[in-house]
Amino acid sequence: MKAKNPIVWFEIYVDNMNRAQKFYETVFDVKLSELPMPDTLDSDMKMMAFPSDMDGPGASGVLVKMAGFESGKNSVLVYFHSEDCSIEEKRIEKAGGAIQQGKQSLGEFGFMVLATDTEGNMFGIHSMK
């Protein structure tokens, strides 16, 4: 059996969708798009999707605003891919977030940055250079 990446989807819960969307679009220089809700799901739930290629490797995901799910209360840490994580690191504070751990070497495994978004969620950025 061929090994696969273990993560296929992620959800980042937010309290203020507009603020969170602006933060992630600014830091990662992407445009998020609204993900329509199926009729079977809570109509008050809102999702904004990160750009993705469903046929490519890696995981995709969304920002989620949903009653009963506060931001910053989770214990999962999502790492975003980067060519050089110092690029996104320079945008984090300007976008309203905070650096928790500046770019640091992971030896043969590359580099990482840890940060907190505008909603109190910690996330990581990983790169090989």
Side-chain angles (χ1 to χ4, degrees):
M1 175 186 234
K2 183 179 175 187
K4 296 183 180 191
N5 291 333
I7 304 299
V8 297
W9 184 255
F10 64 87
E11 295 178 352
I12 300 173
Y13 290 89
V14 304
D15 293 329
N16 182 314
M17 182 60 82
N18 292 335
R19 179 177 65 200
Q21 179 180 352
K22 182 178 179 184
F23 174 81
Y24 283 98
E25 287 179 341
T26 300
V27 170
F28 293 105
D29 193 25
V30 296
K31 181 72 176 146
L32 278 63
S33 58
E34 188 165 1
L35 189 66
M37 292 292 96
D39 294 336
T40 57
L41 294 178
D42 180 357
S43 63
D44 291 332
M45 184 167 50
K46 182 172 184 176
M47 291 186 175
M48 296 300 291
F50 286 85
S52 64
D53 175 1
M54 297 306 284
D55 295 324
S60 186
V62 293
L63 301 179
V64 180
K65 177 154 177 50
M66 185 170 121
F69 287 85
E70 294 180 50
S71 66
K73 306 288 187 209
N74 61 346
S75 60
V76 175
L77 188 59
V78 174
Y79 282 81
F80 291 89
H81 168 76
S82 172
E83 290 300 316
D84 180 346
C85 57
S86 66
I87 295 169
E88 291 84 4
E89 180 181 18
K90 292 174 186 170
R91 299 178 187 150
I92 290 168
E93 290 178 334
K94 292 176 187 173
I99 304 295
Q100 299 299 312
Q101 171 66 53
K103 184 176 178 179
Q104 72 177 53
S105 173
L106 301 171
E108 66 182 288
F109 302 108
F111 299 87
M112 62 166 267
V113 169
L114 290 177
T116 305
D117 69 12
T118 55
E119 308 303 295
N121 297 303
M122 186 177 287
F123 66 96
I125 306 170
H126 177 267
S127 64
M128 289 308 293
K129 61 178 176 177

